[in-house]
Amino acid sequence: VLEFAGGQVQLVAVEAFYGGPLVGQDLGFLRRHMPSVDTRVAAIYRRNRPIIPRGDTVIEADDEVFFIAARRDIRAVMSELRRVERDFRRVVIAGGGNIGERLAEMLEHSHQVKIIEHSLERCTTLSERLDRTVVLHGSATSKRLLLEENIEDCDIFCALTNDDEVNIMSSMLAKRLGARRVLTLINNAAYVDLVQGGEIDIAISPQQATIGSLLTHVRRGDIVNVHSLRRGAAEAIEAIAHGDARSSRVVGRAIGDIDLPSGTTIGAIVRGKEVLIAHDDVVVESGDHVILFVIDKRRIRDVERLFQVGLTFF
């Protein structure tokens, strides 16, 4: 789940499940099926190959579907693409370092949180700093400890130590012992694709998370937000349109008339507090935040140039 325009818009990637209400249906069905919810599918990945979505594109089981909608509508759209899971309440965190501590601090007043930390000294520090989190001294790879703490009742197990092997092994063990979902922090980006989607539900690479922040500063034009997706193969970009119809290639033009680079789609426009899902007749105004999905990173420079203002504007 990625956020744009201060959280007003969200881009969500969902794997369509066999037997789901949209599998076998074309994208035009989405609008007919949910007339009160405005959303747009930004891209579809099928067997790791990108598909530019069109109205007659049919969703297949196991497709990875990227869709964009106003924050208030995301839940309704997700329920159409997959079973809506019950809320996560019980959280077990392996690793009481800076990341584990901060996560516990953010969750402990709304969730039941336990931290497993191997350092007794660090356990003492955590118990003093955290209000409601249960701090456990031991190894996250200990089967006995996990069973004693009823890991089978855990909604999500988060392995956040600074050791990739410990994170991977403890996550696999927790999953085997009945944890509903496991999330694993992996510093070696080469490991991520190897483990995600099997025993490990979610693998997170800090490197990929950081890349998005760095790209915001190196991209040209008024780019205010960049998310690197699919291990850098694609990008979701939030750009601000400036200028007028003479100086800009986007301002004053309907989305259907903008000459977008190949493999690029506009998902939504945020105008002040108003979220406009991108349809061909929506006209871009100066100051609009435009959210784009670029499946071919070789086209990024073309997207940047699209939002650069000509000299005549000055």
Side-chain angles (χ1 to χ4, degrees):
V1 179
L2 305 175
E3 294 190 341
F4 298 91
Q8 294 183 77
V9 172
Q10 290 186 330
L11 177 76
V12 179
V14 172
E15 185 176 324
F17 67 93
Y18 181 79
L22 283 185
V23 171
Q25 303 285 355
D26 60 53
L27 294 181
F29 173 79
L30 185 64
R31 168 165 284 194
R32 298 190 301 272
H33 188 61
M34 293 187 299
S36 61
V37 177
D38 206 6
T39 185
R40 184 181 178 94
V41 173
I44 296 173
Y45 280 83
R46 180 171 299 158
R47 293 179 285 277
N48 290 321
R49 295 177 63 87
I51 298 173
I52 293 295
R54 309 191 188 285
D56 58 356
T57 301
V58 176
I59 296 176
E60 296 181 3
D62 299 325
D63 280 356
E64 187 177 0
V65 185
F66 287 83
F67 62 88
I68 196 164
R71 185 188 187 97
R72 64 181 179 274
D73 294 331
I74 282 293
R75 191 78 174 171
V77 180
M78 287 180 70
S79 68
E80 297 303 321
L81 284 173
R82 63 177 302 150
R83 300 175 185 89
V84 177
E85 297 176 329
R86 69 179 190 272
D87 289 339
F88 294 106
R89 300 298 301 171
R90 293 175 291 275
V91 182
V92 175
I93 300 172
N98 291 331
I99 298 174
E101 180 185 359
R102 288 294 301 279
L103 182 60
E105 188 180 318
M106 295 176 70
L107 294 178
E108 65 177 354
H109 293 285
S110 56
H111 297 72
Q112 299 172 25
V113 182
K114 295 179 180 179
I115 285 186
I116 301 173
E117 169 57 43
H118 69 87
S119 165
L120 183 59
E121 182 181 356
R122 181 64 178 164
C123 283
T124 303
T125 301
L126 289 170
S127 63
E128 292 172 350
R129 291 180 179 176
L130 298 169
D131 297 327
R132 299 183 179 179
T133 300
V134 176
V135 181
L136 304 167
H137 177 232
S139 170
T141 57
S142 167
K143 180 178 180 180
R144 179 185 58 81
L145 176 60
L146 295 179
L147 288 173
E148 285 178 353
E149 296 304 324
N150 302 312
I151 194 66
E152 70 275 9
D153 295 329
C154 169
D155 290 321
I156 185 162
F157 177 91
C158 305
L160 305 177
T161 77
N162 58 6
D163 187 314
D164 284 356
E165 284 73 21
V166 169
N167 289 343
I168 292 170
M169 295 309 294
S170 64
S171 295
M172 294 176 70
L173 180 59
K175 187 74 171 184
R176 290 275 178 93
L177 294 177
R180 180 173 146 215
R181 187 69 66 87
V182 296
L183 179 150
T184 311
L185 185 70
I186 300 179
N187 290 287
N188 186 339
Y191 288 177
V192 174
D193 289 326
L194 293 176
V195 300
Q196 180 163 278
E199 295 267 346
I200 292 173
D201 299 297
I202 307 161
I204 293 179
S205 166
Q207 176 187 359
Q208 287 298 326
T210 305
I211 284 172
S213 298
L214 295 174
L215 288 174
T216 303
H217 298 288
V218 301
R219 293 290 178 229
R220 299 170 186 167
D222 196 352
I223 308 295
V224 295
N225 205 345
V226 178
H227 289 288
S228 179
L229 303 167
R230 299 192 60 82
R231 314 289 170 249
E235 287 187 13
I237 296 174
E238 177 184 344
I240 301 179
H242 294 292
D244 52 32
R246 291 181 303 161
S247 59
S248 169
R249 285 186 279 176
V250 295
V251 173
R253 289 173 170 80
I255 288 175
D257 297 331
I258 296 174
D259 186 18
L260 290 171
S262 174
T264 302
T265 58
I266 294 177
I269 290 173
V270 179
R271 185 173 296 157
K273 296 295 183 182
E274 185 182 10
V275 176
L276 304 171
I277 297 302
H279 301 296
D280 285 349
D281 58 348
V282 175
V283 177
V284 179
E285 297 180 3
S286 184
D288 283 354
H289 287 238
V290 182
I291 293 110
L292 306 101
F293 195 99
V294 186
I295 64 171
D296 184 354
K297 63 182 180 182
R298 293 173 299 180
R299 300 293 185 180
I300 295 293
R301 288 283 178 257
D302 296 330
V303 174
E304 292 172 350
R305 282 192 287 269
L306 196 63
F307 284 87
Q308 289 175 341
V309 180
L311 293 174
T312 55
F313 181 63
F314 302 99

